[in-house]
Amino acid sequence: MEEEKGAVVQSLIDTVNEIASISDYRYTVKKQYCNLARRLKLLTPMFEEIRESKEPIPEETAKALVLLKQALDSAKELLRFGSEGSKIYLVLEREQIMNKYHEVTTQLEQALSGISYENLDISDEVKEQVELVHAQFRRAKGRVDPPDVELYEDLLSLYNKNKDAEIDPAVLRRSSEKLQLKGIADLTQESLALHEMVAATGGDPGENIEKMSMLLKKIKDFVQTENPNMDAPVREKNHPPSGSGNGNHKAPVIPEDFRCPISLELMKDPVIVSTGQTYERSCIEKWLEAGHSTCPKTQQSLNCTALTPNYVLRSLIAQWCEANGIEPPKRPSSSRCNKTTSAYSPAELTKIEILLHKLTSGSPEDQRSAAGEIRLLAKRNADNRVAIAEAGAIPLLVGLLSTPDSRIQEHAVTALLNLSICEDNKGSIISAGAVPGIVHVLKKGSMEARENAAATLFSLSVVDENKVTIGSSGAIPPLVTLLSEGTQRGKKDAATALFNLCIYQGNKGKAVRAGVVPTLMRLLTERGGGMVDEALAILAILASHPEGKAAIGSAEAVSVLVEVIGNGSPRNRENAAAVLVHLCAGDQKYLAEAQELGVMGPLVDLAQNGTDRGKRKAQQLIERLSRFVEQQKQAQAQTETQSQAHTQQSQPSSMSNSADS
């Protein structure tokens, strides 16, 4: 009983200490939340005296302390959100926030009411202090300071303004200042807070969070207009871009594809996650370190936390910067897995050596347990990945890929997947001849092993020369098979691997001949299949290849593409338009079909409201359709002219015949 008392009281002290460590609160809740935190900190002396006391706690008071712990946990979550949560949310959902505040203060007051202070072995001074806190909670239950009505109405007016309507800069300035969204750090933090809320909804953000995202974008655009160099890379001194000599140079608009979806800033070190989305490395690392296991943009589960550099996008960003007179963003120093100094102890190295000895023992039991442990060690951190590779594990793991024991196979391929997260290890895995073994697992392994084999191929294929090696190893047909018959996770693993491999032109024909297009079309039209994003992304790549274009045309894709352009997500509309552009290039049959299906209206909308790439593709299609319609009109007019001429020629002949008779 004494141990239980000590554990409860210590947990109360720990929770109050956690609350005390919260540094600051958002402007809109600052007064109430600071008061709440201050009152809770005054309870610590009581908890400490109870902990030091030798007297038993009355049963009723013990129950009240348990209730108080629950109330403190609720208060901690409320206060943490008031410190780290979305500033815009705290304003727009003020009623919900205040209701929660009332619930928590009521919960605390009721828990304190159950404590018999006179029966506790605590000093009179502490007793008086706690009773004062209790009285303050009683008064706080029915009272709350009025919220900032002006800020609430300002945000509502910003949201309700039409896209093209003139927005009063004074409203934007006032909102930016009151919300304290005045710099890149503030805006990035708010963006992260909104992403956290999307993750908490399980990927269904709802109208309110979409509203908040739109408001954040308006405020961000205003802040950047007021201070255009706020986040621009430093320009070369004494070498301003042309046209900037008068001091009125307008900073170039950063293309959407070059911005990190989390921070909304120009990416310095773009990396790809397992869903195929690209983020700034530092932003996605913070997201993952916060304990999230989903892709911030798509809310799909991340089947692995590998971050692979997006070399192509980095190169495009550098070219864009050069073309616009901006110094290309410098990449942060290389990650820990490329360092040369060891950060692991002799004991850890000894453990790894013992595991490698087991891998070569010839005993399936030893191999199975050792491969499983290496798999977990490699997943844990970057230092382990370096140590395991340097100890010579990679060739041994590659040798186990062909074992008949499915569990050993699964551990081996997953260990290689985890090791491949380190850039230096990718080359070592390829050099060790791993690809044929990984393809063997992809064909013959258990479903989990096949999924992880696909993820490993994706990780390795980030390096351009590896795309060629993997494509020529026979990996593409079994990836297509997994895309067709795998679990949801397996399909996504196969899709990300195929997408990456098909960036290399030489692999596109192989994928088409392996039957990927019919599979993608089936996934595209599958109700509730959840693979529309991936299917369209791969089709957009394949459409640029002659065999891909022919296969997509044969699959009667136009009606599906027109449907997506009309009703899909921004990225899917963009990819559907890109596929249609390739299909309609030099083939009026597809133009005619798209026109009959009413594509012009959705294209006009996409050209006005789509992503940057979506707008370009829509404009291309509109121009082609317009030329096609004009040609049809000209052909019809020419036919009518010829018909009239023929009629006029035949009429005199008839009259002549009549006169002769």
Side-chain angles (χ1 to χ4, degrees):
M1 187 67 187
E2 195 63 30
E3 287 181 5
E4 286 181 18
K5 179 196 88 168
V8 170
V9 173
Q10 187 58 51
S11 68
L12 287 165
I13 293 171
D14 292 342
T15 304
V16 173
N17 286 339
E18 287 179 44
I19 288 170
S21 69
I22 299 173
S23 58
D24 198 11
Y25 299 100
R26 307 305 198 203
Y27 157 78
T28 48
V29 294
K30 192 178 184 76
K31 185 175 180 180
Q32 295 97 322
Y33 283 27
C34 281
N35 285 338
L36 175 58
R38 178 178 50 78
R39 289 167 189 154
L40 294 177
K41 283 184 269 189
L42 292 173
L43 297 175
T44 301
M46 176 179 71
F47 300 146
E48 289 174 342
E49 289 197 6
I50 293 172
R51 183 180 60 184
E52 302 305 321
S53 170
K54 303 299 181 186
E55 296 293 321
I57 301 176
E59 188 177 344
E60 288 303 313
T61 298
K63 288 179 181 176
L65 289 176
V66 172
L67 291 175
L68 184 57
K69 174 65 171 68
Q70 295 170 357
L72 283 173
D73 286 337
S74 299
K76 182 179 72 174
E77 290 309 308
L78 179 77
L79 293 169
R80 196 179 297 285
F81 190 84
S83 172
E84 302 170 1
S86 162
K87 297 174 180 179
I88 296 174
Y89 179 88
L90 288 167
V91 176
L92 292 183
E93 298 299 323
R94 57 186 183 164
E95 287 186 18
Q96 185 179 334
I97 295 295
M98 284 302 109
N99 287 340
K100 184 66 178 172
Y101 177 80
H102 285 316
E103 285 175 21
V104 168
T105 51
T106 301
Q107 205 178 346
L108 288 163
E109 191 273 331
Q110 289 173 349
L112 289 170
S113 297
I115 298 175
S116 302
Y117 305 110
E118 63 278 1
N119 296 329
L120 287 174
D121 183 21
I122 57 176
S123 64
D124 290 341
E125 181 186 5
V126 168
K127 196 180 297 182
E128 288 173 7
Q129 183 170 298
V130 174
E131 286 175 341
L132 175 63
V133 171
H134 189 187
Q136 288 174 334
F137 277 129
R138 271 198 301 270
R139 289 197 297 272
K141 276 200 304 181
R143 191 186 76 242
V144 63
D145 293 325
D148 190 327
V149 176
E150 183 185 50
L151 178 56
Y152 177 75
E153 290 178 349
D154 279 347
L155 290 185
L156 281 187
S157 73
L158 289 176
Y159 175 71
N160 291 323
K161 284 281 185 188
N162 291 330
K163 186 176 180 182
D164 300 324
E166 192 70 27
I167 296 176
D168 184 355
V171 174
L172 283 163
R173 185 176 292 104
R174 194 161 58 232
S175 301
S176 167
E177 288 173 355
K178 285 188 175 181
L179 288 168
Q180 295 177 328
L181 295 174
K182 298 185 285 187
I184 278 301
D186 301 331
L187 293 161
T188 300
Q189 190 178 36
E190 178 69 7
S191 180
L192 276 167
L194 288 176
H195 278 291
E196 293 259 3
M197 292 179 67
V198 174
T201 65
D204 182 17
E207 185 182 344
N208 282 352
I209 297 179
E210 288 179 6
K211 178 194 294 187
M212 293 170 212
S213 296
M214 189 267 276
L215 284 169
L216 176 60
K217 188 174 189 313
K218 285 186 176 181
I219 293 170
K220 183 178 188 300
D221 289 344
F222 167 76
V223 171
Q224 287 186 309
T225 303
E226 291 280 287
N227 184 9
N229 294 318
M230 176 180 68
D231 64 332
V234 180
R235 300 179 191 277
E236 288 289 335
K237 290 180 182 176
N238 305 322
H239 293 282
S242 58
S244 62
N246 58 9
N248 296 323
H249 176 74
K250 188 177 179 183
V253 177
I254 301 171
E256 283 299 315
D257 288 343
F258 295 175
R259 293 179 186 269
C260 171
I262 295 175
S263 69
L264 307 179
E265 305 307 325
L266 183 70
M267 287 186 272
K268 301 180 180 69
D269 188 11
V271 293
I272 307 168
V273 297
S274 62
T275 59
Q277 298 294 330
T278 296
Y279 299 94
E280 174 62 39
R281 185 186 290 277
S282 60
C283 293
I284 192 65
E285 281 179 346
K286 282 181 190 171
W287 173 262
L288 295 171
E289 284 165 9
H292 299 297
S293 59
T294 56
C295 171
K297 191 168 183 181
T298 67
Q299 290 310 302
Q300 297 168 0
S301 293
L302 296 171
N303 50 48
C304 71
T305 55
L307 301 178
T308 48
N310 192 333
Y311 296 112
V312 175
L313 184 60
R314 192 188 304 157
S315 173
L316 290 172
I317 290 172
Q319 290 172 24
W320 178 83
C321 289
E322 189 176 342
N324 286 277
I326 298 172
E327 182 180 336
K330 290 190 172 116
R331 255 207 319 154
S333 56
S334 58
S335 61
R336 287 192 303 150
C337 74
N338 291 326
K339 65 184 179 181
T340 54
T341 56
S342 294
Y344 17 86
S345 68
E348 289 171 317
L349 292 174
T350 302
K351 180 181 180 181
I352 291 170
E353 286 173 7
I354 292 169
L355 291 174
L356 298 196
H357 180 69
K358 284 186 176 183
L359 288 183
T360 60
S361 69
S363 161
E365 290 77 14
D366 283 351
Q367 290 176 335
R368 194 179 304 116
S369 66
E373 282 194 61
I374 290 171
R375 166 185 181 172
L376 293 175
L377 282 173
K379 183 179 181 180
R380 199 164 296 158
N381 58 52
D383 292 331
N384 286 352
R385 291 189 274 275
V386 175
I388 291 166
E390 287 180 354
I394 289 173
L396 300 179
L397 291 168
V398 170
L400 294 177
L401 294 174
S402 55
T403 179
D405 187 307
S406 61
R407 194 67 180 151
I408 295 175
Q409 232 183 36
E410 185 183 307
H411 286 325
V413 78
T414 310
L416 289 170
L417 167 62
N418 295 335
L419 289 171
S420 73
I421 295 169
C422 176
E423 286 299 293
D424 289 351
N425 288 348
K426 292 186 198 298
S428 302
I429 292 169
I430 293 289
S431 301
V435 174
I438 296 169
V439 173
H440 171 75
V441 175
L442 185 62
K443 291 177 179 176
K444 306 288 186 182
S446 66
M447 182 52 73
E448 185 175 346
R450 291 169 68 192
E451 290 169 353
N452 289 340
T456 308
L457 292 176
F458 162 70
S459 178
L460 295 174
S461 67
V462 170
V463 180
D464 285 341
E465 54 265 34
N466 293 351
K467 291 179 174 65
V468 183
T469 304
I470 295 168
S472 61
S473 70
I476 289 175
L479 282 172
V480 173
T481 302
L482 184 61
L483 182 66
S484 176
E485 64 184 35
T487 63
Q488 188 68 6
R489 181 192 156 197
K491 288 177 180 177
K492 289 187 181 295
D493 286 328
T496 51
L498 284 166
F499 176 86
N500 229 28
L501 289 171
C502 288
I503 291 171
Y504 170 59
Q505 188 75 1
N507 287 334
K508 294 178 182 177
K510 291 172 183 169
V512 173
R513 290 189 289 277
V516 74
V517 171
T519 299
L520 293 171
M521 290 305 301
R522 190 173 68 253
L523 294 175
L524 202 54
T525 54
E526 219 171 46
R527 286 192 176 277
M531 292 292 294
V532 174
D533 295 358
E534 293 84 353
L536 277 168
I538 298 171
L539 285 172
I541 289 181
L542 295 177
S544 64
H545 190 276
E547 289 182 58
K549 176 180 172 180
I552 295 168
S554 300
E556 300 180 351
V558 175
S559 60
V560 179
L561 296 172
V562 171
E563 174 69 21
V564 174
I565 292 170
N567 301 307
S569 68
R571 182 65 65 190
N572 288 342
R573 295 177 75 196
E574 167 195 315
N575 280 328
V579 176
L580 200 54
V581 165
H582 286 295
L583 273 187
C584 294
D587 199 330
Q588 293 193 338
K589 175 178 73 173
Y590 299 120
L591 273 174
E593 187 179 351
Q595 184 199 11
E596 287 173 12
L597 290 165
V599 76
M600 185 59 88
L603 283 177
V604 170
D605 180 68
L606 181 60
Q608 292 172 346
N609 304 311
T611 63
D612 286 349
R613 179 168 171 256
K615 288 176 181 177
R616 291 197 304 273
K617 298 300 178 186
Q619 198 57 50
Q620 287 176 332
L621 282 167
I622 289 169
E623 288 170 5
R624 287 182 188 175
L625 275 168
S626 299
R627 284 199 301 271
F628 174 66
V629 170
E630 189 59 37
Q631 287 169 2
Q632 281 186 316
K633 286 180 180 176
Q634 289 175 358
Q636 187 177 356
Q638 190 174 359
T639 302
E640 288 174 357
T641 302
Q642 289 173 348
S643 176
Q644 288 171 358
H646 178 71
T647 302
Q648 288 170 357
Q649 285 173 0
S650 62
Q651 280 176 350
S653 173
S654 300
M655 289 173 66
S656 173
N657 291 339
S658 175
D660 289 343
S661 62

